Structure formats: structure tokens, C-alpha cells
């Protein structure tokens, strides 16, 4: 039950819903999320972290 509550709280924010909508269309890196939604890097990372922590999405690292 706690997992469901955590997921619902994560989905209760407009910015996080906008991020999910974008990610449903295509896979994006943080910089692409920032550009598409016109938000700062810290705001994008914080919200992606909340979504990941709630189990709504998975992150992966792909460095050059």
C-alpha cells in the first residue's frame, strides 16, 4: 500500500506529469528534458529522481 501511495504522490505534480508525457513519446536524457520543458537542470534531476524513487520509471547511465 505504501508503494501505491508513493507513486500517487509522485504523479500529483504537473512537472512530473509533463516529464512522463515526454518520456512516453521517446527516451530522453536530462538535458533533453530540460530543453523540452524549459526547466533548470536541478529541477529536472530532482523530479526525475522522485519518479525513479517511486518506481514510476527506471534510469540508466550512458556516458561517453
Amino acid at each position: 500500500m505504501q508503494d501505491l501511495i508513493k507513486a500517487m504522490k509522485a504523479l500529483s505534480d504537473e512537472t512530473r506529469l509533463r516529464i512522463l508525457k515526454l518520456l512516453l513519446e521517446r527516451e530522453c536524457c536530462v538535458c533533453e528534458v530540460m530543453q523540452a520543458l524549459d526547466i533548470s537542470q536541478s529541477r529536472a534531476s530532482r523530479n526525475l529522481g522522485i519518479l525513479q524513487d517511486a518506481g514510476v520509471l527506471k534510469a540508466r547511465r550512458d556516458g561517453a
Side-chain angles (χ1 to χ4, degrees):
M1 183 69 154
Q2 290 300 319
D3 292 338
L4 177 61
I5 292 169
K6 196 174 201 177
M8 297 305 274
K9 284 183 180 181
L11 297 173
S12 69
D13 180 79
E14 181 182 350
T15 300
R16 291 190 285 272
L17 288 175
R18 291 173 61 209
I19 289 172
L20 282 178
K21 184 177 183 288
L22 177 65
L23 293 175
L24 285 171
E25 294 173 10
R26 62 185 171 88
E27 186 176 296
C28 299
C29 65
V30 176
C31 62
E32 292 171 323
V33 171
M34 290 169 47
Q35 277 187 330
L37 302 181
D38 193 29
I39 58 177
S40 67
Q41 185 272 328
S42 61
R43 187 172 175 197
S45 293
R46 180 175 61 248
N47 282 296
L48 286 165
I50 290 169
L51 290 169
Q52 182 181 1
D53 187 51
V56 177
L57 61 85
K58 287 185 184 178
R60 69 178 178 89
R61 295 183 185 266
D62 187 11

